[in-house]
Amino acid sequence: MNRFRIFIFFFLSTSVAFSQDLNSFNETLDSLKKFSNLVLTSATDFEKYNANDKLIILLESTLLQKKSFDYNFDTLKSIAVLRSPDNKFKLFNWVLPKADGTYEYFGIIQAWNSKENKFLLYKLKDNSENIKNPENELLDYQNWYGALYYKLIYTRYAGKKYYTLLGWDGNDKITSKKIIDVISFNSKEKPVFGSSIFKINSKFQKRVIFEFSSTVTVSIKYEKQYLVHGKQKKKMIVFDRVAPLDPKLKGIYQYYFPETNIFDALMFKNGKWNYIKDVDARNSKESKADRDRKAVTKKIQKQKGIK
């Protein structure tokens, strides 16, 4: 009987503690939703940055709590939350649209550090404006080429793990960008952005950036698709081919548009993302991450007056 009473007491105590923790987290989640929406929709840059400061403080304090890695943040529509399949890290990522039509990106990586036997936080600093050769620079979390990520792809080769990211960058009033970047972890287990694993036309680069007119949408997805005239589907990063309206406009990206029904791809083989020209891309279902990203960009485009 005593053992039964002890069990009941322990069960009730645990249940109450769990309920209190859950209620506290739900309140925090409501505040995160509030601040993240204000970052997108406030009338002035000052109000947006004020809300953003509060968002960062609250998110950091939440992620420093024990077992916070297991919290469910799926209802945060204005913050992209990507979790690596091996549970190495979570990436929290959002955008602040400014009155001049440009954007600043923010992020926090919550990553497991085996040496310290705990999760550590790495706050990302967007330094896009000062990175002169972004496709070929190795970057860290304090010198980051900012973007809003919507997909994480986990690959391994020869004992090395890579976490490839697909992202969107509103850039400015005349052009937008899509970005394919990659995270790996160095010997100190700190996140590093970029790696020479993208093989494009026999040349290697550390990330892939597409720039094009802000009036159009360019698709980049990770899915199973057919090679040209192929019968077997392969997993690959499939994207619209973008080109200038006239060859004389090469390098003037406001005149770059996707070519109709022409797709290229990157396929992971032997530790590299290899460029494949002219893949036989078919229609596929839109992912939840794509829908959430489109919802955010639609809010931003409405603010900018873009239909």
Side-chain angles (χ1 to χ4, degrees):
M1 182 64 71
N2 286 337
R3 287 183 180 179
F4 179 74
R5 288 176 179 173
I6 292 172
F7 171 77
I8 293 296
F9 175 78
F10 176 78
F11 175 77
L12 291 175
S13 299
T14 303
S15 299
V16 169
F18 176 78
S19 178
Q20 290 175 339
D21 287 346
L22 187 60
N23 289 335
S24 177
F25 175 67
N26 287 335
E27 290 176 6
T28 299
L29 202 58
D30 288 340
S31 295
L32 289 172
K33 290 178 187 177
K34 173 187 173 183
F35 293 136
S36 61
N37 284 327
L38 287 173
V39 170
L40 281 179
T41 62
S42 292
T44 67
D45 287 356
F46 176 81
E47 291 172 308
K48 289 178 180 180
Y49 278 106
N50 185 44
N52 191 64
D53 289 341
K54 294 176 181 177
L55 172 62
I56 291 172
I57 291 170
L58 181 58
L59 184 56
E60 282 186 309
S61 64
T62 303
L63 297 179
L64 286 171
Q65 296 177 22
K66 287 184 177 180
K67 299 184 179 180
S68 62
F69 190 83
D70 296 322
Y71 289 169
N72 188 342
F73 295 90
D74 288 351
T75 58
L76 288 178
K77 300 301 181 184
S78 298
I79 299 178
V81 184
L82 300 177
R83 181 174 185 159
S84 66
D86 62 348
N87 292 323
K88 170 67 177 176
F89 69 94
K90 270 186 177 179
L91 171 60
F92 297 80
N93 181 213
W94 64 97
V95 58
L96 189 154
K98 296 190 280 188
D100 65 358
T102 62
Y103 301 81
E104 187 171 351
Y105 297 90
F106 297 86
I108 296 176
I109 294 176
Q110 183 186 29
W112 178 256
N113 186 293
S114 61
K115 295 178 181 178
E116 298 197 30
N117 199 34
K118 63 180 180 180
F119 285 99
L120 299 180
L121 302 185
Y122 301 93
K123 188 161 65 173
L124 306 182
K125 180 175 176 56
D126 186 357
N127 195 33
S128 305
E129 292 183 0
N130 301 313
I131 299 171
K132 303 302 181 185
N133 188 19
E135 291 183 323
N136 293 293
E137 286 199 33
L138 190 66
L139 306 171
D140 62 26
Y141 63 96
Q142 295 176 314
N143 183 35
W144 170 53
Y145 196 83
L148 182 64
Y149 301 122
Y150 57 92
K151 181 68 176 177
L152 186 152
I153 305 161
Y154 175 54
T155 54
R156 293 178 294 175
Y157 182 76
K160 184 72 174 177
K161 297 180 179 180
Y162 297 100
Y163 309 89
T164 301
L165 301 164
L166 308 184
W168 171 86
D169 174 13
N171 200 37
D172 57 31
K173 291 180 178 180
I174 61 173
T175 68
S176 298
K177 296 179 181 179
K178 281 291 186 72
I179 297 166
I180 306 175
D181 209 336
V182 60
I183 294 178
S184 57
F185 288 82
N186 62 20
S187 59
K188 295 182 179 180
E189 299 191 44
K190 292 183 178 182
V192 177
F193 287 85
S195 179
S196 298
I197 62 171
F198 300 100
K199 188 178 181 182
I200 314 291
N201 297 326
S202 301
K203 293 183 179 179
F204 289 97
Q205 55 193 68
K206 291 182 171 61
R207 64 185 53 80
V208 181
I209 301 173
F210 303 89
E211 188 171 358
F212 48 90
S213 170
S214 63
T215 63
V216 298
T217 299
V218 169
S219 172
I220 302 183
K221 296 179 179 180
Y222 182 62
E223 58 191 8
K224 280 188 175 182
Q225 284 293 357
Y226 294 94
L227 297 176
V228 175
H229 306 304
K231 295 182 179 180
Q232 185 179 7
K233 279 188 172 183
K234 300 284 188 180
K235 270 270 188 160
M236 60 185 83
I237 300 172
V238 181
F239 45 87
D240 290 304
R241 185 184 300 171
V242 294
L245 290 172
D246 187 311
K248 294 178 182 178
L249 298 173
K250 185 176 180 180
I252 307 177
Y253 294 104
Q254 70 191 83
Y255 299 111
Y256 275 55
F257 294 85
E259 296 189 7
T260 305
N261 295 324
I262 298 178
F263 302 93
D264 300 322
L266 293 170
M267 190 161 62
F268 194 79
K269 185 177 181 180
N270 297 330
K272 307 294 180 186
W273 284 107
N274 297 277
Y275 174 71
I276 301 172
K277 190 175 182 180
D278 295 323
V279 297
D280 185 16
R282 316 276 176 90
N283 292 332
S284 60
K285 292 182 179 179
E286 187 174 53
S287 69
K288 180 181 180 298
D290 282 333
R291 292 195 298 272
D292 289 346
R293 190 262 310 167
K294 282 186 178 179
V296 172
T297 55
K298 190 173 182 180
K299 283 185 181 179
I300 294 168
Q301 288 175 337
K302 187 176 180 180
Q303 287 181 321
K304 291 172 67 176
I306 298 172
K307 295 182 180 179

